[in-house]
Amino acid sequence: MHVDLTTPHARALGEVLSELGSWQRDGLPVQLHPGDLGWQWRFGPAALAGALRVWTANGTVVAIGLLDEGSLVRMGVAPSADQDEGLARILLRDLEDPARGVLTGDKPIVEARFGTVFRSLLRRRGWIDDEPWTPLVRDLRSPVETPRVRVETVGHERVADRVAVQRAAFDRSTFTAGRWTVMSRSPAYRHARCLVGYDDRDNAVAAATVWSAGEGRPGLLEPVGVHRDHRGRGYGTAITLAAASTLRDMGASSATVVTPTSNAGAVATYASAGFRRLPAVTDFALVR
Ligand SMILES: CC(C)(COP(=O)(O)OP(=O)(O)OC[C@H]1O[C@@H](n2cnc3c(N)ncnc32)[C@H](O)[C@@H]1OP(=O)(O)O)[C@@H](O)C(=O)NCCC(=O)NCCS
């Protein structure tokens, strides 16, 4: 089998997004989603394109990797390649060889939540379990309960609220209005919404961004956060319910979210918003 490994041009990002979108199916393990790329788009299309690796076999995209600082790659694998031993070997060869420019750090980590053969090959070749992540899914065939908090879909007129909550929810956040604007102009954001929850004094207390992968496909919550001064009052559950409901309005068949298993607060919050917890899935690490 001949497989090409390329870094896409920024102009080709739309095609990568739609390919990855077509791989999102209910019942399959939750893996890399167009929303993950959409959220990364805040750093600009050139940075996103530079962080992507695309594997193509006979003109068909079969795997996509999103790189994080040379040491972590988040993989998406085409559903048709789930049992493809030949492709799994090629992916592993490319990931294990720093000269191929995928993983160049000292302690490479691979997020591979899908690809039965690929995952078992990683194990057989000595990759060990790294951090466990917990996927959660909510079926959207039935309507979602109305949250007890006012939640608005926000655009550029309320970007200050969206940014303020993000920065107050994630300690190391570098989000800015400028980055929101870059993200919101992307093709990925045509299928996204930013939501902000307000308390009864009109303070912005919670935020989420949701990403559809198209009609009848699982959508993604990325990210979800509650302002650190307003936690423990049900706003996390409320913004998660609003996020699920928004995805339902956008035609998604289910809402998915993945969080580190160690983030007990997030797992409890999603569960309290009706999400079903799936078995934890670990990343893979290679100790060279
Ligand atoms: C996770 C987070 C969104 C929860 O928001 P919150 O407003 O405090 O959550 P809620 O008050 O709605 O609580 C929802 C449920 O989670 C539980 N919970 C919340 N924080 C918890 C914690 N740290 N440990 C255990 N349970 C917790 C609550 O008891 C509640 O359970 P219940 O419905 O069974 O009573 C918030 O802590 C946060 O923004 N964290 C930082 C960002 C983050 O980790 N985001 C998620 C990953 S992308």
Side-chain angles (χ1 to χ4, degrees), residues 169-170 221-228 230-240 257-260 263-270 272-273:
F170 293 88
L221 281 62
E222 172 64 16
V224 176
V226 171
H227 192 299
R228 62 175 74 82
H230 298 274
R231 292 192 183 149
R233 294 177 205 159
Y235 297 134
T237 307
I239 197 78
T240 305
V257 67
V258 185
T259 191
N263 193 345
V267 172
T269 298
Y270 301 133
S272 103

Side-chain angles (χ1 to χ4, degrees), residues 39 160-175 195-197 204-209 222-232 235-236 239 259 263 265-266 269-270:
W39 180 239
D161 290 348
R162 175 71 190 84
V163 171
V165 175
Q166 187 69 26
R167 296 188 77 117
F170 293 88
D171 293 340
R172 283 172 303 188
S173 171
T174 57
F175 205 37
L195 308 175
V196 173
V205 292
T209 303
E222 172 64 16
V224 176
V226 171
H227 192 299
R228 62 175 74 82
D229 297 340
H230 298 274
R231 292 192 183 149
Y235 297 134
I239 197 78
T259 191
N263 193 345
T269 298
Y270 301 133

